[in-house]
Amino acid sequence: MAVSLTRRSIGWQRWNRFGPIRTLYTDLDFVPEKLSEDVKIHSARSQTTLTMNQLLQLKGVPFAQFLHKELPVRLARRVVELENLPYGLSAMPSVQKVHSWYESTFEELRSTPLPSNANDTERFKVALEKVLTRHNDVVPTLAKGLIELKKTLGVSEEKIVDRCPFLQDFLDRFFLARIGIRTLIGQYVAVHSDRPGFIGLFEKDCKVRSVIEYAADDAGLICSRQYGVRPEVVIKGTLDLHLTYMPGHIHHICFELIKNSMRAIVENPKFKSQGVFPAVEIVIAEGEDDIAIKISDQGGGIPRNDMRKIFGYAYTTVKDPPDITSGTSQPQLAGLTHVPMAGYGYGLPLSRIYSHVFGGDLIILSMHGYGTDAYLYLNKLHQSTEIVPR
Ligand SMILES: Nc1ncnc2c1ncn2[C@@H]1O[C@H](COP(=O)(O)OP(=O)(O)OP(=O)(O)O)[C@@H](O)[C@H]1O
Ligand SMILES: [Mg+2]
């Protein structure tokens, strides 16, 4: 399904040590001829973003009608983007697989009549549940696409991403868009399933400390399985902090950060020899507009030279990385038994994207020779608008 980019010269060209990078599209003004007219039209339309408050109020027919209009626009943009990746990445079998999922979902939604009554909204929910399942494995499948490209080009996928800033940007944009789409669909499905204490995916009274404790337990389980020991986790600060938020997103990020801290502590030769490990220290703080969670460890930190790499996709210091394609990257789906302690190189970049969805951020500071501090900021205000990529 990939279209040769050399057929038409548009945008700008880059050159690096792999040779000429094929023409890159800097925006969506141009779309290849092979795409259906409908995809072209939708990819050119503006996306509509909602504030958290607006999202929390949507239900029933208006919500279904909003998604019926909005999802094809967002999906079409991704279809176009998947057609236009540099180095011939678009032609890799796994990227084409992801492309075919996005295209099928786009076509399915476009052939669904506009929902206009309660029966339609129920049918729409069933259709969207199937969409969620179809797209479950987008992350490992795209990662597999990078591995296929690595074999074709004969360089490591980490180096491909490192040397091509466009690829890093593409993956950031693509995953941000994916989380946005899944949040909208997940919210629709969940809001029509009436879970007590929740408005869709949002827990009305989400206790931040409990979510962190769950994440610490999950990370600790994997750590014990891998190393036979697990550092303690101490939580301080505003322990009674609660807000309306998606616990799933907080869990995902904290789980990844705690896993990283535990690995650094347990692998630090300073403690390994004694068998006594310092705790991972977590502080929860509440500001006027946001909440902050700091996760600190004494795992030895990260060399300054490596700091620019840690948010790069596929960057890992695990010597013999596990195969990301052998399972799903979503612990909640796969169960923790399939999640390795480290090695995919997707933990930090994806966590940062999760933090960005409603305007938050993730910052890592390190003192090499001592330890690492991760600062997670989440917007408290429900006026904060969903961030979507172009
Ligand atoms: N707290 C930390 N202390 C020391 N190094 C860290 C810490 N957090 C991250 N790193 C470094 O950053 C790299 C990238 O982290 P990231 O979580 O993205 O990938 P990973 O842990 O290797 O694999 P996975 O995607 O399975 O989590 C790690 O391999 C490690 O070298
Ligand atoms: Mg990690």
Side-chain angles (χ1 to χ4, degrees):
M1 210 44 207
V3 173
S4 162
L5 301 180
T6 48
R7 278 193 293 147
R8 279 168 74 167
S9 172
I10 47 103
W12 42 275
Q13 275 210 317
R14 274 198 183 142
W15 184 276
N16 76 0
R17 62 170 64 184
F18 299 142
I21 301 175
R22 297 209 249 168
T23 309
L24 306 177
Y25 301 117
T26 50
D27 55 37
L28 298 172
D29 291 345
F30 173 85
V31 286
E33 292 144 21
K34 251 189 174 175
L35 287 171
S36 81
E37 201 53 40
D38 208 22
V39 171
K40 287 186 202 174
I41 291 168
H42 280 82
S43 71
R45 290 194 178 146
S46 318
Q47 302 167 95
T48 306
T49 53
L50 300 174
T51 63
M52 234 192 266
N53 254 350
Q54 287 170 323
L55 185 57
L56 284 167
Q57 276 155 30
L58 276 175
K59 215 179 165 169
V61 174
F63 198 0
Q65 292 189 343
F66 169 73
L67 292 185
H68 188 268
K69 187 164 170 241
E70 177 64 14
L71 290 175
V73 175
R74 297 196 185 196
L75 292 161
R77 283 173 171 257
R78 269 41 280 169
V79 171
V80 170
E81 196 158 37
L82 284 166
E83 298 249 357
N84 296 306
L85 301 173
Y87 299 125
L89 182 56
S90 296
M92 295 299 121
S94 296
V95 177
Q96 297 212 342
K97 198 191 251 184
V98 173
H99 179 281
S100 73
W101 293 335
Y102 275 78
E103 209 174 33
S104 305
T105 303
F106 173 85
E107 278 159 13
E108 255 173 47
L109 280 166
R110 290 291 298 141
S111 57
T112 303
L114 183 72
S116 57
N117 57 43
N119 278 346
D120 291 351
T121 56
E122 192 49 37
R123 271 203 297 273
F124 199 54
K125 179 184 149 195
V126 174
L128 290 183
E129 277 170 335
K130 272 197 226 146
V131 169
L132 282 178
T133 310
R134 175 184 296 142
H135 290 251
N136 268 344
D137 281 343
V138 162
V139 176
T141 311
L142 259 192
K144 191 173 176 193
L146 281 181
I147 294 168
E148 289 160 358
L149 184 64
K150 158 185 121 174
K151 286 184 185 146
T152 312
L153 296 176
V155 278
S156 79
E157 75 252 45
E158 177 210 320
K159 287 204 176 110
I160 296 171
V161 177
D162 192 30
R163 290 182 202 162
C164 179
F166 177 85
L167 262 188
Q168 174 77 27
D169 288 352
F170 156 68
L171 292 167
D172 275 344
R173 261 197 324 272
F174 194 86
F175 291 134
L176 181 60
R178 174 174 189 268
I179 296 169
I181 291 170
R182 284 183 85 80
T183 302
L184 288 179
I185 297 180
Q187 179 66 9
Y188 182 86
V189 169
V191 91
H192 294 102
S193 308
D194 274 341
R195 187 171 164 199
F198 280 75
I199 308 170
L201 299 172
F202 292 78
E203 191 173 6
K204 285 184 214 161
D205 194 22
C206 174
K207 294 184 180 60
V208 175
R209 177 194 182 172
S210 309
V211 181
I212 297 173
E213 280 170 350
Y214 274 118
D217 276 352
D218 289 345
L221 261 173
I222 296 174
C223 185
S224 307
R225 191 187 67 208
Q226 170 96 13
Y227 302 105
V229 286
R230 62 195 274 180
E232 212 191 319
V233 175
V234 178
I235 307 178
K236 301 182 207 163
T238 316
L239 295 178
D240 58 352
L241 176 60
H242 52 102
L243 74 167
T244 302
Y245 208 83
M246 281 174 288
H249 283 194
I250 302 178
H251 179 280
H252 179 102
I253 301 167
C254 291
F255 170 71
E256 291 298 336
L257 296 175
I258 298 169
K259 218 156 39 84
N260 283 350
S261 285
M262 288 184 169
R263 173 184 168 221
I265 293 168
V266 176
E267 291 195 355
N268 189 336
K270 210 160 97 188
F271 311 118
K272 229 179 181 174
S273 52
Q274 303 158 3
V276 183
F277 302 96
V280 177
E281 291 194 347
I282 302 184
V283 181
I284 305 170
E286 180 175 20
E288 238 169 68
D289 301 338
D290 57 15
I291 64 164
I293 300 169
K294 180 171 79 158
I295 300 183
S296 306
D297 65 66
Q298 295 176 39
I302 302 164
R304 275 185 77 198
N305 259 344
D306 292 347
M307 285 302 286
R308 60 169 195 88
K309 300 188 204 161
I310 58 172
F311 285 104
Y313 291 92
Y315 172 75
T316 180
T317 47
V318 169
K319 292 275 171 333
D320 192 11
D323 179 4
I324 193 168
T325 62
S326 62
T328 166
S329 61
Q330 298 181 313
Q332 64 274 38
L333 294 170
L336 291 176
T337 40
H338 298 284
V339 180
M341 189 67 187
Y344 290 156
Y346 277 68
L348 284 183
L350 281 182
S351 294
R352 188 166 63 174
I353 296 295
Y354 269 99
S355 77
H356 284 170
V357 173
F358 280 105
D361 205 0
L362 173 62
I363 291 166
I364 307 282
L365 297 175
S366 151
M367 290 167 79
H368 192 214
Y370 181 76
T372 303
D373 290 335
Y375 289 86
L376 169 63
Y377 300 100
L378 297 172
N379 258 326
K380 206 164 72 166
L381 291 180
H382 291 150
Q383 279 78 359
S384 60
T385 307
E386 181 204 3
I387 309 290
V388 289
R390 267 189 294 117

Coordinates of all heavy atoms in Angstrom, one line a residue, residues 50 55-56 58-60 63-64 66-67 71 74 105 109 121 124-133 135-136 177-195 198-203 246-249 330 332-333 354 357-358 386:
L50 N -10.8 18.5 22.7 CA -11.8 18.8 23.8 C -11.0 19.1 25.1 O -9.9 18.6 25.3 CB -12.6 17.6 24.1 CG -13.5 17.0 22.9 CD1 -14.1 15.7 23.4 CD2 -14.5 18.0 22.6
L55 N -15.0 16.5 27.7 CA -14.9 15.1 27.5 C -15.8 14.4 28.5 O -16.5 13.5 28.3 CB -13.5 14.6 27.5 CG -13.3 13.1 27.1 CD1 -13.8 12.8 25.8 CD2 -11.8 12.8 27.2
L56 N -15.6 14.9 29.8 CA -16.4 14.3 30.9 C -17.9 14.4 30.8 O -18.6 13.7 31.4 CB -15.9 14.9 32.2 CG -14.5 14.4 32.7 CD1 -14.0 15.3 33.8 CD2 -14.6 13.0 33.1
L58 N -19.6 14.3 27.8 CA -20.1 13.7 26.6 C -20.7 12.3 26.9 O -20.1 11.5 27.6 CB -19.1 13.6 25.5 CG -18.9 14.9 24.7 CD1 -17.7 14.7 23.7 CD2 -20.1 15.2 23.9
K59 N -21.8 12.0 26.3 CA -22.5 10.7 26.5 C -23.5 10.6 25.4 O -23.9 11.5 24.7 CB -23.2 10.8 27.8 CG -23.2 9.5 28.5 CD -23.9 9.5 29.9 CE -24.2 8.0 30.2 NZ -24.6 7.6 31.4
G60 N -23.9 9.3 25.1 CA -25.0 9.0 24.2 C -24.9 9.5 22.8 O -23.7 9.5 22.3
F63 N -22.2 12.2 21.8 CA -20.8 11.7 21.9 C -20.6 10.8 20.6 O -19.5 10.9 20.0 CB -20.6 10.9 23.2 CG -19.2 10.6 23.5 CD1 -18.1 11.1 22.8 CD2 -18.9 9.9 24.7 CE1 -16.8 10.9 23.2 CE2 -17.6 9.6 25.1 CZ -16.5 10.1 24.3
A64 N -21.5 9.9 20.3 CA -21.4 9.1 19.1 C -21.2 9.9 17.9 O -20.4 9.6 17.0 CB -22.6 8.1 19.0
F66 N -20.2 13.0 17.6 CA -18.9 13.7 17.7 C -17.8 12.7 17.1 O -17.0 13.1 16.3 CB -18.5 14.2 19.1 CG -17.1 14.6 19.2 CD1 -16.7 15.8 18.7 CD2 -16.2 13.8 19.9 CE1 -15.4 16.2 18.8 CE2 -14.8 14.2 20.0 CZ -14.4 15.5 19.5
L67 N -17.8 11.5 17.7 CA -16.7 10.5 17.3 C -16.9 10.1 15.8 O -15.9 9.9 15.1 CB -16.8 9.2 18.1 CG -16.4 9.4 19.6 CD1 -16.4 8.1 20.3 CD2 -15.0 10.1 19.7
L71 N -13.3 10.9 14.5 CA -12.3 9.8 14.3 C -11.8 9.6 12.9 O -10.6 9.5 12.7 CB -12.9 8.5 14.8 CG -13.1 8.4 16.4 CD1 -13.8 7.1 16.8 CD2 -11.8 8.5 17.1
R74 N -8.9 12.1 12.3 CA -7.7 11.7 13.0 C -7.0 10.4 12.4 O -5.8 10.4 12.2 CB -7.9 11.4 14.5 CG -8.4 12.7 15.2 CD -8.3 12.5 16.7 NE -8.9 13.6 17.4 CZ -8.7 13.9 18.7 NH1 -7.9 13.1 19.4 NH2 -9.2 15.0 19.3
T105 N -10.1 0.7 9.8 CA -11.0 1.4 10.8 C -11.6 2.6 10.2 O -12.8 2.9 10.4 CB -10.1 1.7 12.0 OG1 -9.6 0.5 12.5 CG2 -11.0 2.4 13.1
L109 N -15.6 3.1 9.8 CA -16.3 4.3 10.4 C -17.1 5.1 9.3 O -18.2 5.5 9.5 CB -15.4 5.2 11.1 CG -15.0 4.7 12.5 CD1 -13.8 5.4 13.0 CD2 -16.1 4.9 13.5
T121 N -26.3 4.0 19.3 CA -25.2 4.2 20.1 C -24.6 2.9 20.7 O -23.4 2.8 20.9 CB -25.5 5.2 21.3 OG1 -26.6 4.7 22.0 CG2 -25.8 6.6 20.8
F124 N -22.8 1.2 18.0 CA -21.5 2.0 17.8 C -20.5 1.6 18.8 O -19.3 1.4 18.5 CB -21.8 3.5 17.8 CG -20.8 4.4 17.2 CD1 -20.4 4.2 15.9 CD2 -20.3 5.4 18.0 CE1 -19.4 5.1 15.4 CE2 -19.3 6.3 17.4 CZ -18.9 6.1 16.1
K125 N -21.0 1.4 20.0 CA -20.1 0.9 21.1 C -19.4 -0.4 20.7 O -18.2 -0.6 20.9 CB -20.9 0.8 22.4 CG -20.0 0.4 23.6 CD -20.9 0.2 24.8 CE -20.4 -0.9 25.7 NZ -21.3 -1.4 26.7
V126 N -20.3 -1.4 20.3 CA -19.7 -2.7 19.9 C -18.7 -2.5 18.8 O -17.6 -3.2 18.9 CB -20.9 -3.6 19.5 CG1 -20.4 -5.0 19.0 CG2 -21.9 -3.8 20.7
A127 N -19.0 -1.7 17.8 CA -18.0 -1.5 16.7 C -16.7 -0.9 17.2 O -15.6 -1.3 16.8 CB -18.7 -0.6 15.7
L128 N -16.8 0.1 18.2 CA -15.6 0.7 18.7 C -14.8 -0.2 19.6 O -13.6 -0.1 19.6 CB -16.0 2.0 19.4 CG -16.5 3.1 18.6 CD1 -16.7 4.4 19.4 CD2 -15.5 3.5 17.5
E129 N -15.5 -1.2 20.3 CA -14.7 -2.1 21.1 C -13.8 -3.0 20.1 O -12.7 -3.3 20.5 CB -15.7 -3.1 21.8 CG -16.2 -2.4 23.1 CD -17.3 -3.1 23.8 OE1 -18.1 -3.9 23.1 OE2 -17.5 -3.0 25.0
K130 N -14.4 -3.3 19.0 CA -13.6 -4.1 18.0 C -12.4 -3.3 17.5 O -11.3 -3.8 17.3 CB -14.5 -4.5 16.8 CG -15.2 -5.7 17.0 CD -15.7 -6.2 15.6 CE -17.2 -6.7 15.8 NZ -18.0 -6.5 14.6
V131 N -12.6 -2.0 17.4 CA -11.5 -1.1 16.9 C -10.4 -1.1 17.9 O -9.2 -1.3 17.6 CB -12.0 0.3 16.7 CG1 -10.9 1.3 16.4 CG2 -13.0 0.4 15.5
L132 N -10.8 -1.0 19.2 CA -9.8 -1.0 20.3 C -8.9 -2.3 20.2 O -7.7 -2.3 20.3 CB -10.4 -0.9 21.6 CG -10.9 0.5 22.1 CD1 -11.6 0.4 23.5 CD2 -9.8 1.5 22.2
T133 N -9.6 -3.4 20.0 CA -8.9 -4.7 20.0 C -8.0 -4.8 18.7 O -6.8 -5.2 18.8 CB -9.9 -5.9 19.9 OG1 -10.9 -5.7 21.0 CG2 -9.3 -7.2 20.0
H135 N -6.5 -2.5 17.2 CA -5.3 -1.6 17.3 C -4.4 -1.9 18.6 O -3.5 -1.1 18.9 CB -5.7 -0.2 17.3 CG -6.3 0.3 16.0 ND1 -5.6 1.1 15.1 CD2 -7.4 0.0 15.3 CE1 -6.3 1.3 14.0 NE2 -7.4 0.6 14.1
N136 N -4.8 -3.0 19.3 CA -4.0 -3.3 20.6 C -2.5 -3.3 20.4 O -1.8 -2.8 21.2 CB -4.4 -4.6 21.1 CG -5.5 -4.5 22.1 OD1 -5.8 -3.4 22.6 ND2 -6.2 -5.6 22.4
A177 N -1.0 10.7 18.9 CA -2.3 10.6 18.2 C -3.0 9.3 18.6 O -4.2 9.3 18.9 CB -2.1 10.6 16.7
R178 N -2.2 8.3 18.7 CA -2.8 7.0 19.1 C -3.5 7.0 20.5 O -4.6 6.6 20.7 CB -1.7 5.9 19.0 CG -2.2 4.5 19.5 CD -1.2 3.5 19.3 NE -1.8 2.2 19.6 CZ -1.8 1.6 20.8 NH1 -1.2 2.2 21.8 NH2 -2.3 0.4 21.0
I179 N -2.7 7.6 21.4 CA -3.3 7.7 22.8 C -4.5 8.5 22.8 O -5.5 8.2 23.4 CB -2.2 8.2 23.8 CG1 -1.1 7.2 23.9 CG2 -2.8 8.4 25.2 CD1 0.2 7.7 24.6
G180 N -4.5 9.6 22.0 CA -5.7 10.5 21.9 C -6.9 9.8 21.4 O -8.0 9.8 21.9
I181 N -6.7 9.0 20.3 CA -7.8 8.3 19.7 C -8.3 7.2 20.7 O -9.5 7.0 20.9 CB -7.3 7.6 18.3 CG1 -7.1 8.7 17.3 CG2 -8.3 6.6 17.8 CD1 -6.4 8.2 16.0
R182 N -7.4 6.5 21.3 CA -7.8 5.4 22.2 C -8.5 6.0 23.5 O -9.3 5.4 24.0 CB -6.6 4.6 22.6 CG -6.2 3.6 21.6 CD -5.0 2.7 22.0 NE -5.4 1.5 22.7 CZ -5.9 0.4 22.1 NH1 -6.1 0.4 20.8 NH2 -6.3 -0.6 22.9
T183 N -8.1 7.2 23.9 CA -8.7 7.8 25.0 C -10.2 8.2 24.6 O -11.1 7.9 25.4 CB -8.0 9.1 25.5 OG1 -6.6 8.7 25.8 CG2 -8.6 9.7 26.7
L184 N -10.4 8.7 23.4 CA -11.7 9.1 23.0 C -12.6 7.8 22.9 O -13.7 7.8 23.4 CB -11.7 9.8 21.6 CG -11.2 11.2 21.6 CD1 -11.2 11.7 20.1 CD2 -12.0 12.1 22.5
I185 N -12.1 6.8 22.2 CA -12.8 5.6 22.0 C -13.1 4.9 23.4 O -14.2 4.5 23.7 CB -12.2 4.6 21.0 CG1 -12.1 5.3 19.6 CG2 -12.9 3.3 20.9 CD1 -11.4 4.4 18.6
G186 N -12.0 4.8 24.2 CA -12.1 4.1 25.5 C -13.1 4.9 26.3 O -13.9 4.2 27.1
Q187 N -13.1 6.2 26.3 CA -14.0 7.0 27.1 C -15.5 6.7 26.6 O -16.4 6.5 27.5 CB -13.7 8.5 26.9 CG -14.7 9.4 27.7 CD -14.5 9.3 29.2 OE1 -13.7 8.6 29.7 NE2 -15.5 9.9 29.9
Y188 N -15.7 6.6 25.3 CA -17.1 6.3 24.8 C -17.5 4.9 25.3 O -18.6 4.8 25.8 CB -17.1 6.4 23.3 CG -18.5 6.1 22.7 CD1 -19.4 7.1 22.6 CD2 -18.9 4.8 22.4 CE1 -20.6 6.9 22.1 CE2 -20.1 4.6 21.9 CZ -21.0 5.6 21.7 OH -22.3 5.4 21.3
V189 N -16.7 3.9 25.2 CA -17.0 2.6 25.5 C -17.3 2.5 27.1 O -18.3 2.0 27.5 CB -15.9 1.6 25.1 CG1 -16.1 0.2 25.7 CG2 -15.8 1.5 23.6
A190 N -16.4 3.1 27.8 CA -16.4 3.0 29.3 C -17.6 3.8 29.8 O -18.3 3.4 30.8 CB -15.1 3.5 29.9
V191 N -17.9 5.0 29.2 CA -19.0 5.8 29.8 C -20.4 5.1 29.5 O -21.3 5.4 30.3 CB -18.9 7.2 29.1 CG1 -19.8 7.4 27.9 CG2 -19.3 8.3 30.2
H192 N -20.4 4.2 28.6 CA -21.7 3.5 28.4 C -21.6 2.1 29.0 O -22.4 1.2 28.7 CB -21.9 3.3 26.8 CG -22.2 4.6 26.2 ND1 -21.3 5.3 25.5 CD2 -23.3 5.5 26.3 CE1 -21.8 6.5 25.1 NE2 -23.0 6.6 25.6
S193 N -20.7 1.9 29.9 CA -20.6 0.7 30.7 C -20.8 0.9 32.2 O -20.8 0.0 33.0 CB -19.2 0.0 30.5 OG -18.9 -0.1 29.1
D194 N -21.0 2.2 32.6 CA -21.4 2.6 33.9 C -20.6 1.8 35.0 O -21.1 1.0 35.8 CB -22.9 2.3 34.2 CG -23.7 3.6 33.7 OD1 -23.0 4.6 33.5 OD2 -24.9 3.4 33.4
R195 N -19.3 2.2 35.2 CA -18.6 1.6 36.3 C -18.7 2.5 37.5 O -18.4 3.7 37.4 CB -17.1 1.5 35.8 CG -16.2 0.8 36.8 CD -14.8 0.6 36.1 NE -13.8 0.3 37.1 CZ -12.5 0.4 36.9 NH1 -12.1 0.8 35.7 NH2 -11.7 0.0 37.8
F198 N -16.7 6.0 38.5 CA -16.0 6.4 37.3 C -16.9 7.2 36.3 O -18.1 6.9 36.3 CB -15.4 5.2 36.5 CG -14.1 4.7 37.0 CD1 -14.1 3.9 38.2 CD2 -12.9 4.9 36.4 CE1 -12.9 3.4 38.7 CE2 -11.7 4.4 36.9 CZ -11.7 3.6 38.0
I199 N -16.3 8.2 35.6 CA -17.0 8.7 34.5 C -16.2 8.2 33.3 O -15.2 8.8 32.9 CB -17.1 10.3 34.5 CG1 -17.6 10.8 35.8 CG2 -17.9 10.8 33.3 CD1 -17.5 12.3 36.0
G200 N -16.6 7.2 32.7 CA -15.8 6.6 31.6 C -14.5 6.1 32.2 O -14.4 5.3 33.1
L201 N -13.4 6.6 31.6 CA -12.1 6.2 32.0 C -11.6 6.9 33.2 O -10.6 6.6 33.8 CB -11.1 6.4 30.9 CG -11.3 5.6 29.6 CD1 -10.3 6.1 28.5 CD2 -11.1 4.1 29.8
F202 N -12.3 8.0 33.5 CA -11.9 8.9 34.6 C -12.4 8.5 35.9 O -13.7 8.4 36.1 CB -12.3 10.4 34.3 CG -11.6 11.0 33.1 CD1 -12.0 10.7 31.8 CD2 -10.6 11.9 33.3 CE1 -11.4 11.2 30.7 CE2 -10.0 12.5 32.2 CZ -10.4 12.1 30.9
E203 N -11.6 8.3 36.9 CA -12.0 8.0 38.3 C -12.4 9.3 38.9 O -11.5 10.3 38.9 CB -11.0 7.2 39.0 CG -11.5 6.7 40.3 CD -10.5 5.8 41.0 OE1 -9.3 5.7 40.5 OE2 -10.9 5.1 42.0
M246 N -7.5 9.9 34.9 CA -7.4 8.6 34.4 C -6.3 7.8 35.1 O -5.2 8.0 34.9 CB -7.1 8.6 32.9 CG -8.3 8.9 32.0 SD -7.7 9.1 30.3 CE -6.9 10.6 30.4
P247 N -6.7 6.9 36.1 CA -5.7 6.2 36.8 C -4.8 5.4 35.9 O -3.6 5.2 36.2 CB -6.5 5.3 37.7 CG -7.9 5.3 37.3 CD -8.1 6.5 36.4
G248 N -5.3 4.9 34.8 CA -4.6 4.1 33.8 C -3.3 4.8 33.4 O -2.2 4.2 33.3
H249 N -3.4 6.1 33.1 CA -2.3 6.9 32.6 C -1.2 7.1 33.7 O 0.0 6.9 33.4 CB -2.7 8.3 32.0 CG -3.4 8.2 30.7 ND1 -3.6 9.3 29.9 CD2 -3.9 7.1 30.0 CE1 -4.2 8.9 28.8 NE2 -4.4 7.6 28.8
Q330 N 1.6 -3.8 26.2 CA 0.6 -3.3 27.2 C 0.4 -4.2 28.4 O -0.3 -5.3 28.2 CB -0.7 -3.0 26.6 CG -0.6 -1.9 25.5 CD -1.9 -1.6 24.8 OE1 -2.6 -2.5 24.4 NE2 -2.2 -0.4 24.7
Q332 N -1.3 -4.3 30.9 CA -2.7 -4.5 31.4 C -3.4 -5.5 30.5 O -4.3 -6.2 30.9 CB -3.5 -3.2 31.5 CG -3.7 -2.5 30.2 CD -2.6 -1.5 29.8 OE1 -1.4 -1.8 30.0 NE2 -2.9 -0.4 29.3
L333 N -2.9 -5.7 29.3 CA -3.5 -6.7 28.4 C -2.7 -8.0 28.5 O -3.3 -9.1 28.5 CB -3.4 -6.2 26.9 CG -4.2 -5.0 26.6 CD1 -3.9 -4.5 25.3 CD2 -5.7 -5.4 26.7
Y354 N 2.4 9.9 27.2 CA 1.2 9.7 28.1 C 1.1 11.0 28.9 O 0.0 11.5 29.1 CB 1.4 8.5 29.0 CG 0.8 7.3 28.4 CD1 1.5 6.3 27.8 CD2 -0.6 7.1 28.4 CE1 1.0 5.2 27.2 CE2 -1.2 5.9 27.9 CZ -0.4 5.0 27.3 OH -0.9 3.9 26.7
V357 N -0.6 14.0 27.0 CA -1.9 14.0 26.4 C -2.8 15.1 26.9 O -3.5 15.8 26.2 CB -2.6 12.6 26.7 CG1 -4.1 12.6 26.3 CG2 -1.8 11.5 25.9
F358 N -2.8 15.4 28.3 CA -3.6 16.5 28.8 C -2.7 17.7 29.3 O -3.0 18.3 30.3 CB -4.6 16.1 29.8 CG -5.8 15.5 29.2 CD1 -6.0 14.1 29.2 CD2 -6.8 16.2 28.6 CE1 -7.1 13.5 28.6 CE2 -7.9 15.7 28.0 CZ -8.1 14.3 28.0
E386 N -7.0 18.6 25.5 CA -6.2 17.5 24.9 C -5.2 18.0 23.9 O -5.5 18.9 23.1 CB -7.2 16.5 24.2 CG -6.6 15.3 23.7 CD -7.5 14.7 22.5 OE1 -8.5 15.3 22.2 OE2 -7.1 13.7 22.0

